[in-house]
Amino acid sequence: MQAENQIIVPLDVPTIEAAIALVERLPQVTFWKVGLELFTSTGSVILRELKSRQKRIFLDLKFHDIPNTVAGACRAAASLGVDLLTIHASNGRTCLELATTAIQEGAASTGVQPPKLIAITLLTSISPRQLAFDLKIPLELPEYALEMALMAKESGLNGAVCSPQEAAQLRETCGNDFLLVCPGVRPTWADKGDQQRTFTPSQAIQAGANYLVIGRPITAAADPELAWSKICAEIQNLEL
């Protein structure tokens, strides 16, 4: 896979105007992430705008609710023709299994390809201490992420979102056909922000990540085009 196709850039902006301006500022970006803020603001309008520009879409809404509600949301989202869709693995096995069926139904209803359904193992903003003391989960963080990913795979999901620090273990255990999407990726020259568990782009790819979600190091850079090019070059050098 070419480096530019492995980087997903988040459209973490509040309006359709700001989103389109960012897409036009970075025409070389082929894969964009639409999250809660922008989708709540614009609905499917932003998805249509991206598709009209032949962009791939990661719809990152992290569905988390009772099984029937999550299945209904997945069915509706799949009909929109997005490429990746996220739900929390902590919804449980029944919910995950219903969701895998629902995306097939939703995509078939509009004649589009079903999205790859990706499980959230654990938000990368959560530290081991928070997992233990705030969430009261007795497992070590890597073990918890692995258990969530395995349940997702057994339930028919296509992959998982995980910290790059867990990617190597998940790749070894879940196999090469299981997609790993890694946020929390920060070049050495970028600020970590609110991410607690980070790797550089090259470290994340070497650990087994298929896709890297990289936002502020690109979108908040003084020169976003230069930042994009530097990250692509770092990844490309691994393949030479």
Side-chain angles (χ1 to χ4, degrees), residues 25-162:
R25 176 76 187 272
L26 290 164
Q28 60 272 62
V29 175
T30 62
F31 213 150
W32 292 94
K33 180 173 84 74
V34 175
L36 283 170
E37 180 181 18
L38 185 58
F39 192 78
T40 301
S41 172
T42 70
S44 60
V45 173
I46 183 58
L47 306 183
R48 291 196 293 271
E49 288 286 346
L50 291 170
K51 289 175 73 67
S52 73
R53 291 167 168 79
Q54 289 75 54
K55 304 299 184 182
R56 300 180 71 197
I57 302 170
F58 175 20
L59 186 58
D60 186 26
L61 301 183
K62 301 182 176 72
F63 293 137
H64 196 280
D65 212 310
I66 62 173
N68 284 339
T69 299
V70 170
C74 287
R75 189 177 296 109
S79 72
L80 300 173
V82 299
D83 298 278
L84 298 179
L85 179 66
T86 51
I87 65 175
H88 277 280
S90 57
N91 280 301
R93 191 179 302 270
T94 297
C95 182
L96 298 181
E97 291 173 350
L98 285 177
T100 60
T101 300
I103 62 166
Q104 300 295 328
E105 296 169 348
S109 71
T110 53
V112 297
Q113 284 292 111
K116 302 295 186 184
L117 191 57
I118 308 296
I120 304 295
T121 56
L122 185 70
L123 299 175
T124 54
S125 59
I126 294 177
S127 68
R129 179 178 177 81
Q130 289 171 317
L131 183 71
F133 290 95
D134 295 343
L135 300 184
K136 310 301 181 186
I137 292 175
L139 300 178
E140 293 294 326
L141 193 151
E143 183 183 358
Y144 178 79
L146 178 60
E147 290 296 333
M148 293 297 100
L150 283 171
M151 180 172 61
K153 181 178 180 181
E154 292 165 0
S155 301
L157 274 71
N158 302 106
V161 176
C162 66

Side-chain angles (χ1 to χ4, degrees), residues 163-201:
S163 158
Q165 294 185 6
E166 288 99 58
Q169 183 181 29
L170 265 62
R171 172 63 62 222
E172 180 180 357
T173 306
C174 296
N176 291 331
D177 294 333
F178 196 68
L179 295 177
L180 297 180
V181 181
C182 291
V185 176
R186 293 290 185 266
T188 55
W189 40 266
D191 183 73
K192 285 178 62 176
D194 57 3
Q195 300 290 349
Q196 296 295 319
R197 311 190 319 271
T198 66
F199 268 18
T200 67

